[in-house]
Amino acid sequence: MSDQERAAAAAKRLFDEHRTGERCSALPPDLRPRNLDEAHAIQDCLQRLNEAHGLGPLAGWKVALTTPVMQRLAGIDHPCAGGIHERYVYRSPVTLAAADYVRIGVEAEIAVRLSADLAGSGHTRASVAGAVAALMPAIEIVDDRGVDYDALDGLALVADNSFNFGVVLGPETAYRPGLDLPAVSGRMSINGEVVGEGTGDTVMGHPFEALAWLAGGLEARGRGLLAGQIVMTGSIVATKWPAAGDEVVVDVDGMGEARLRLE
């Protein structure tokens, strides 16, 4: 079996598990990614399958594992990326069915909308700032499908599109150069109770560091960030696991809130 065939077969297995709502299990040894390039190849194939079966093209990207503690949990020493399909972009407020997920998780993030393509390598937080049109409070929806975190393989996480199953976007605020984004505070509440708080510097020191990392990483993969796309820069609050009947609110100072209700 060629590397391309292995990637396609692994992606098809993940795709089928998603459609049937199976709990997360390790890929068989003959399909398991052996390095980051293979994990990216599987992710690319999975995204093409998702697009072909109704999820639409990528509306943006997420950056995951932006903190050392989360990287240690996944057994890797760097962030990772996943695509956000058009059908999974929700505008706040939104109500979704908890039963549509195996195990839904939520994260509190500062999202950006791009005004220009970001191509090439060597990006810095300063160089990407000029491509940011707007900032948004956002909730990332993940579905880890009940993965065993003690046995979690970071490469498998990447292959599985970094567990992204959607985003809930709050109102847009035009980005102003000079904004002290690392000092901006945000918090998550569930049913009115604050369950986590953080600041922008939680994300690699500055959310635009995550954006610069993503731009360079996608360029190395022969892909890129496009004007109009959304980028989720990484969670400022540890992942929470709500249930049916819960209401999740993420509010970021000066930006407003994103609201998700589960039924």
Side-chain angles (χ1 to χ4, degrees):
M1 185 184 297
S2 69
D3 288 347
Q4 186 175 8
E5 289 170 334
R6 289 182 68 251
K12 182 61 164 58
R13 182 184 177 99
L14 292 171
F15 176 78
D16 288 342
E17 288 179 354
H18 293 171
R19 295 192 80 182
T20 57
E22 292 183 38
R23 291 183 64 86
C24 188
S25 59
L27 288 167
D30 61 322
L31 298 180
R32 203 167 296 161
R34 297 165 293 194
N35 53 53
L36 191 57
D37 286 343
E38 291 188 355
H40 284 153
I42 296 170
Q43 184 187 108
D44 291 344
C45 290
L46 179 58
Q47 290 171 357
R48 287 193 291 269
L49 281 171
N50 287 337
E51 181 174 349
H53 288 80
L55 294 190
L58 293 187
W61 293 84
K62 64 168 282 186
V63 183
L65 306 185
T66 53
T67 62
V69 64
M70 291 303 295
Q71 291 169 14
R72 287 193 295 271
L73 182 65
I76 58 178
D77 60 0
H78 53 77
C80 63
I84 304 167
H85 288 278
E86 193 175 65
R87 183 176 160 190
Y88 284 164
V89 177
Y90 307 102
R91 294 288 174 177
S92 173
V94 66
T95 299
L96 300 173
D100 288 343
Y101 308 89
V102 180
R103 189 172 85 131
I104 187 172
V106 290
E107 299 182 347
E109 309 208 10
I110 297 171
V112 307
R113 181 173 59 79
L114 299 177
S115 59
D117 296 354
L118 277 175
S121 58
H123 291 285
T124 66
R125 70 171 70 165
S127 69
V128 300
V132 174
L135 306 172
M136 292 159 281
I139 300 168
E140 184 186 1
I141 300 169
V142 298
D143 189 349
D144 70 0
R145 296 190 292 123
V147 68
D148 178 1
Y149 282 96
D150 289 335
L152 179 62
D153 177 353
L155 295 176
L157 172 68
V158 172
D160 204 357
N161 202 35
S162 297
F163 291 165
N164 179 262
F165 272 77
V167 297
V168 181
L169 302 176
E172 292 194 4
T173 299
Y175 171 63
R176 307 184 311 277
L179 174 66
D180 189 5
L181 205 49
V184 170
S185 296
R187 59 211 56 82
M188 179 188 288
S189 301
I190 298 180
N191 301 328
E193 178 183 353
V194 175
V195 295
E197 301 180 79
T199 51
D201 59 1
T202 304
V203 181
M204 300 173 68
H206 192 299
F208 289 178
E209 290 288 352
L211 180 58
W213 173 88
L214 177 63
L218 291 178
E219 176 73 15
R221 292 169 60 179
R223 307 190 69 172
L225 286 169
L226 305 176
Q229 287 190 324
I230 301 298
V231 175
M232 300 287 283
T233 58
S235 188
I236 61 174
V237 171
T239 308
K240 306 302 179 185
W241 309 97
D246 287 345
E247 184 172 56
V248 180
V249 177
V250 166
D251 68 278
V252 178
D253 291 349
M255 298 182 201
E257 68 177 30
R259 188 177 292 264
L260 164 67
R261 183 178 178 277
L262 294 176
E263 60 180 12

